[in-house]
C-alpha cells in the first residue's frame, strides 16, 4: 500500500508533513491475533449484531491490520455486486481497528473510499489497513481491498480518526444503545 494524498480534490486526504512517530501500544494484539471488539452490537464487528458484517480484524506486523469478508447476496447493490455503503462500512471497520494498535479509543472523523472495480456477490474480499501516523489526537490510516491479488485492488480507502475519552464521548448516547444497562455499568467502572 502506498500513501495516497489527494491535494487536487477539495477536502481530499492529505497526511501532514509533521506526522509524529508511533509506537505500538504494549497491550495491543500481537501479529495474527484478533483485535478486541468494542461493541457486540456493532454493525461492522459485533458478534451479536443481527444484520452485521461480523468482521474479525487481526493485527498484522508493524502498524497493519487485516480481515476478510464473504460478499453475501444480502449485500447486493447493483445486480450481482456489493452495495457501496456495505463496502464503505467494511472499510470503516478495518480502518477504525488499526488505531487500537497505538492506543485506546478513536472515532472516525473522515472516511473516503475510492471504488476501483465491481466486487461480485459470492467473492471473498480481503481488506488490509495501515496506520500512516498521528498528529496530536488525529490518526491517519489507509486501506486496500482486493479479491485474491493485492496488486489488483477493487477499492482503496483513507480515514482520519480522533482519539477520545470513550466514557465522555458516549455518555449521552448510552440510553439509545441496544444494551443500555451493560454500557451504563461499563461507564461507571473506575
Amino acid at each position: 500500500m502506498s500513501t495516497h494524498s489527494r491535494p487536487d480534490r477539495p477536502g481530499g486526504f492529505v497526511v501532514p508533513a509533521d506526522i509524529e512517530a508511533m509506537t505500538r501500544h504494549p497491550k495491543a494484539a500481537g501479529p495474527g491475533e484478533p483485535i478486541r471488539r468494542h461493541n457486540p452490537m456493532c454493525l461492522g464487528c459485533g458478534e451479536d449484531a443481527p444484520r452485521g458484517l461480523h468482521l474479525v480484524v487481526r493485527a498484522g506486523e508493524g502498524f497493519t491490520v487485516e480481515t476478510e469478508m464473504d460478499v453475501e447476496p444480502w449485500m447486493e447493490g447493483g445486480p450481482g455486486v456489493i452495495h457501496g455503503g456495505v463496502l464503505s462500512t467494511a472499510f470503516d471497520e478495518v480502518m477504525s481497528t488499526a488505531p487500537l494498535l497505538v492506543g485506546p479509543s478513536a472515532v472516525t472523523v473522515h472516511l473516503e473510499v475510492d471504488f476501483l472495480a465491481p466486487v461480485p456477490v459470492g467473492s471473498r474480499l480481503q481488506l488490509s489497513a495501515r496506520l500512516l501516523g498521528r498528529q496530536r489526537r488525529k490518526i491517519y490510516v489507509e486501506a486496500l481491498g482486493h479479491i485474491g491479488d493485492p496488486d489488483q485492488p477493487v477499492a482503496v480507502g483513507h480515514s482520519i480518526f480522533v482519539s477520545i475519552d470513550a466514557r465522555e464521548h458516549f455518555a449521552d448516547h448510552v440510553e439509545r444503545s441496544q444494551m443500555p444497562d451493560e454500557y451504563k455499568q461499563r461507564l461507571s467502572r473506575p
Side-chain angles (χ1 to χ4, degrees):
M1 254 185 292
S2 63
T3 304
H4 298 277
S5 295
R6 294 281 182 90
D8 57 321
R9 285 185 9 200
F13 185 85
V14 178
V15 178
D18 61 342
I19 210 83
E20 300 166 18
M22 299 178 298
T23 53
R24 196 167 174 125
H25 193 278
K27 293 184 180 178
E33 294 178 357
I35 296 178
R36 71 173 170 83
R37 295 174 175 174
H38 62 98
N39 174 359
M41 299 305 291
C42 173
L43 179 66
C45 70
E47 64 271 13
D48 296 336
R51 292 178 293 266
L53 299 179
H54 306 161
L55 296 177
V56 176
V57 180
R58 297 189 179 280
E61 296 292 332
F63 299 104
T64 65
V65 297
E66 56 192 30
T67 192
E68 57 186 25
M69 177 179 85
D70 291 327
V71 181
E72 300 174 5
W74 72 266
M75 300 173 179
E76 184 175 62
V81 297
I82 196 169
H83 188 283
V86 174
L87 185 55
S88 295
T89 299
F91 266 84
D92 188 36
E93 187 62 38
V94 73
M95 287 192 284
S96 70
T97 306
L100 294 174
L101 296 174
V102 296
S105 299
V107 294
T108 310
V109 296
H110 175 85
L111 170 69
E112 64 182 49
V113 178
D114 293 322
F115 305 101
L116 306 176
V119 179
V121 168
S123 62
R124 174 165 282 180
L125 179 65
Q126 296 170 337
L127 297 159
S128 60
R130 181 172 68 100
L131 292 171
L132 300 173
R134 74 182 317 150
Q135 184 187 50
R136 292 178 290 284
R137 290 179 52 216
K138 291 182 180 177
I139 302 168
Y140 296 82
V141 182
E142 70 177 355
L144 177 130
H146 65 87
I147 303 169
D149 183 357
D151 292 329
Q152 296 292 315
V154 294
V156 294
H158 299 93
S159 285
I160 302 171
F161 297 88
V162 172
S163 299
I164 60 161
D165 175 323
R167 291 175 194 228
E168 182 180 310
H169 185 81
F170 295 110
D172 292 341
H173 308 287
V174 169
E175 285 297 329
R176 288 183 285 283
S177 168
Q178 296 178 68
M179 302 169 37
D181 294 335
E182 180 174 329
Y183 282 105
K184 281 184 207 172
Q185 191 175 47
R186 284 186 192 184
L187 293 175
S188 67
R189 291 182 195 147

